[in-house]
Amino acid sequence: DLKEKTVHIQRQLAADIKLEENGAGIEEYSIVERDPKTEKSNRTVSIPDFLCEELEEYMAMLYGFKKDDRLFQITKSYLHHEMIRGTQISGVKRIRIHDIRHSHVSLLIGMGFSAVDIAGRMGHESIDITLHYAHMFPSAQKDMANKLNEERVW
């Protein structure tokens, strides 16, 4: 919903793999659409102006695009291949696709957002998942000591 500057996360794509009886290979492989893993995975995420503008430009290039169509018609495998190709060209370290989520969390922590707010944005079922990044949250120890100094009563 670019008018409201939000993205609604309601479905996920997943690989549906059926192995051969002897386990030696894959008999069938397909991409299926399903409900997200957890209730909190269903969410609405606010997006910045620049991303709205880029999405509008991208959607304008899509022929016959309808509101409920999948926005990106690529697979995880294709994206993985393109990330490898891009990292080889640029010389930067290759990361997994899922690591982009970790990078986003790290950026939000560095920007000073709370673990509760980040958990909601990421669809974490529990704040404990977000707190795995606790080592990245800035330490408030000096601020605490300074506030206690200010409040000291003689």
Side-chain angles (χ1 to χ4, degrees):
D1 184 348
L2 299 181
K3 194 174 282 186
E4 294 298 319
K5 300 179 184 178
T6 58
V7 173
H8 305 285
I9 313 295
Q10 301 165 325
R11 305 290 291 157
Q12 76 173 24
L13 296 177
D16 187 24
I17 301 170
K18 182 178 177 185
L19 297 176
E20 293 176 349
E21 281 188 39
N22 63 8
I26 296 174
E27 184 176 315
E28 281 182 44
Y29 177 87
S30 62
I31 302 294
V32 295
E33 186 178 314
R34 63 181 181 206
D35 291 332
K37 289 185 227 176
T38 67
E39 192 174 314
K40 289 195 178 178
S41 294
N42 283 301
R43 63 200 185 278
T44 299
V45 177
S46 295
I47 57 175
D49 293 341
F50 75 85
L51 185 54
C52 288
E53 292 166 10
E54 289 181 21
L55 288 172
E56 281 177 335
E57 289 174 20
Y58 173 74
M59 289 187 302
M61 294 186 299
L62 300 176
Y63 179 76
F65 182 76
K66 295 178 198 80
K67 183 181 177 189
D68 292 330
D69 288 348
R70 262 182 63 199
L71 187 55
F72 301 104
Q73 300 289 326
I74 60 174
T75 63
K76 183 178 175 181
S77 173
Y78 175 79
L79 185 56
H80 177 75
H81 176 269
E82 288 301 297
M83 286 184 67
I84 290 172
R85 191 172 70 84
T87 57
Q88 288 172 341
I89 291 169
S90 66
V92 299
K93 181 183 173 194
R94 185 176 67 84
I95 62 171
R96 300 170 302 157
I97 293 166
H98 187 77
D99 292 336
I100 296 170
R101 278 179 59 89
H102 296 290
S103 296
H104 186 60
V105 170
S106 300
L107 176 63
L108 295 174
I109 290 169
M111 294 171 84
F113 292 100
S114 75
V116 172
D117 291 333
I118 294 169
R121 183 176 185 84
M122 302 308 292
H124 291 159
E125 192 63 24
S126 162
I127 193 170
D128 293 342
I129 296 168
T130 311
L131 291 176
H132 282 291
Y133 298 88
H135 64 283
M136 301 180 91
F137 283 92
S139 174
Q141 292 297 321
K142 287 183 181 177
D143 289 341
M144 288 179 205
N146 290 337
K147 290 278 186 196
L148 289 168
N149 279 333
E150 291 171 14
E151 296 300 320
R152 183 175 178 194
V153 178
W154 292 90

